[in-house]
Amino acid sequence: MLLSLLFACSNSVAPASGGSAEAWPDWAPAASTDDTATSPIDTADMPPEEESAYECDPVGCIELAEAVDRGFATISYGTYDILVDNMGDWPICIDGWYTFLSDTSQDAVSGTTGSDQLEPGDTAYFPYAEWGDDAPAWWCIEHNQYTATGALYTFEGERAPTRIANWTNNATDEDVDASEDHTDYGTSDGLPQTQHNNWDYLAGRDVFVVGRHMNWYEIGGLQSVQVTVVVTNLGRRAGTATVTETLPDGWLASSFSPAVSANVTSDSGVTTLSWPVALEAAVEPANEYSPTWYDVAELSYILTYTGECHGREIGFSPQVTWTDNVGSTWTSAGSPMVLQCCNSDDSITPGNGGFGP
């Protein structure tokens, strides 16, 4: 495909358009300092007479990470906007801010100050630097790369880093000039001060995000899947962090690679896994058309489901916590894990993943 290169962080905009499904109600959310760290959202149980027919169908909208895993959603760069296309059968929840990475277009955080639902067959438009109530937008987290029309983004469930999401979502005045940063174009390059808040933060800190190679699994007749948690340092400083994965009662983990530093099960059966990670600083190449290099850690384990096949169950989000090089402590989160167990004639094969032994 021919990619049309645009200026980095173009200032032009185009008009914008526009909870998860069921969970186990006795789960408690994992402690976190990150408002984007999601745990299961309770909804009413499905009526018994409908359960067998719809046991694998979501109730309401599904997470963006699940939609990508199932091949129901693509994320790309348009002319001025980041686009999310819903090609599936269920609406997609658009809630909060996400981290989108690309080797051929400018890496971004994208999301909304409110929440929305992307209906089947529709496209969501995220224009650059939009600001206002429930306004979708995207902001650069890569300084050197250019945007490219038609380029695809990867998304493995990573929410935007907490501090950056605060800048994109809330009114601020970091340069103390009595002008709100989203509409403060007094910088030398004519970009909003919010954009420089993001760049300056990443240039001076170690900043981690966390996701999984797959966040949705159809186990069918199998009882085990391989899970890989992915941690990336977006910051231009090296750093260390602790990654945690929380598994509900009835979900067991084994065959860790690398080994976990902690594997603790509470009286209620909830298991918390922990790994230490140390990642190098991100490196921006001299060639402005080349992507930034990020250091990445992959943490794998075998997840064995010991409960009865209930159709569709939703777990917790992975989290990464660190104290950065200036002494501030932060937590970033990924997306909840969805484990789906259907009748054999209803089985669905994941769009971009496989099963473990």
Side-chain angles (χ1 to χ4, degrees):
M1 181 189 308
L2 178 64
L3 301 182
S4 174
L5 294 173
L6 303 174
F7 292 110
C9 284
S10 170
N11 212 16
S12 302
V13 298
S17 66
S20 295
E22 65 270 55
W24 298 347
D26 58 342
W27 288 355
S32 172
T33 59
D34 187 352
D35 291 339
T36 67
T38 55
S39 59
I41 302 171
D42 298 335
T43 61
D45 291 335
M46 191 177 297
E49 64 272 18
E50 297 182 9
E51 186 171 351
S52 61
Y54 298 98
E55 64 178 357
C56 284
D57 286 354
V59 175
C61 58
I62 64 176
E63 292 276 345
L64 178 59
E66 177 182 352
V68 170
D69 286 348
R70 297 176 71 159
F72 293 168
T74 59
I75 304 164
S76 62
Y77 194 80
T79 303
Y80 301 109
D81 309 329
I82 287 179
L83 312 178
V84 177
D85 290 296
N86 184 356
M87 303 172 293
D89 296 328
W90 294 282
I92 297 172
C93 305
I94 303 294
D95 184 14
W97 292 82
Y98 310 97
T99 300
F100 297 151
L101 303 178
S102 175
D103 286 339
T104 54
S105 192
Q106 205 160 35
D107 298 333
V109 292
S110 185
T112 174
T113 56
S115 60
D116 201 356
Q117 231 175 243
L118 178 61
E119 298 300 324
D122 286 353
T123 299
Y125 294 81
F126 296 86
Y128 176 67
E130 192 65 49
W131 168 244
D133 292 339
D134 298 334
W138 75 272
W139 296 85
C140 306
I141 55 172
E142 188 176 21
H143 205 167
N144 64 301
Q145 178 75 302
Y146 280 74
T147 56
T149 298
L152 295 176
Y153 287 90
T154 60
F155 176 61
E156 297 186 314
E158 302 95 334
R159 291 286 181 158
T162 305
R163 189 68 186 95
I164 289 178
N166 287 341
W167 277 317
T168 58
N169 209 39
N170 301 312
T172 60
D173 183 15
E174 289 292 312
D175 57 348
V176 197
D177 64 352
S179 179
E180 202 285 317
D181 290 339
H182 294 84
T183 55
D184 181 0
Y185 289 88
T187 57
S188 59
D189 56 9
L191 296 174
Q193 180 61 42
T194 296
Q195 181 58 73
H196 286 274
N197 295 343
N198 295 343
W199 279 337
D200 293 346
Y201 176 66
L202 291 167
R205 309 284 184 100
D206 44 319
V207 182
F208 294 86
V209 292
V210 61
R212 301 185 189 94
H213 281 330
M214 287 284 291
N215 293 279
W216 170 84
Y217 295 91
E218 166 55 71
I219 64 172
L222 301 175
Q223 289 294 314
S224 297
V225 293
Q226 180 173 311
V227 179
T228 302
V229 179
V230 183
V231 191
T232 304
N233 182 10
L234 300 178
R236 278 54 173 173
R237 293 289 186 276
T240 60
T242 298
V243 179
T244 56
E245 178 86 298
T246 303
L247 305 176
D249 187 18
W251 297 15
L252 303 178
S254 62
S255 301
F256 304 103
S257 179
V260 293
S261 58
N263 183 352
V264 180
T265 301
S266 70
D267 292 341
S268 63
V270 174
T271 299
T272 302
L273 311 172
S274 299
W275 292 266
V277 295
L279 296 179
E280 296 298 324
V283 178
E284 295 179 353
N287 180 355
E288 61 188 4
Y289 296 103
S290 298
T292 298
W293 177 85
Y294 300 111
D295 198 12
V296 177
E298 295 187 347
L299 315 170
S300 298
Y301 63 95
I302 298 299
L303 176 68
T304 301
Y305 179 54
T306 63
E308 296 181 5
C309 179
H310 294 302
R312 179 178 169 85
E313 295 168 352
I314 299 177
F316 293 94
S317 302
Q319 298 188 11
V320 57
T321 301
W322 73 101
T323 299
D324 64 24
N325 54 295
V326 299
S328 299
T329 299
W330 304 98
T331 297
S332 292
S335 298
M337 183 186 295
V338 180
L339 190 65
Q340 192 161 294
C341 178
C342 302
N343 295 328
S344 58
D345 57 350
D346 293 329
S347 294
I348 302 171
T349 300
N352 62 348
F355 300 119

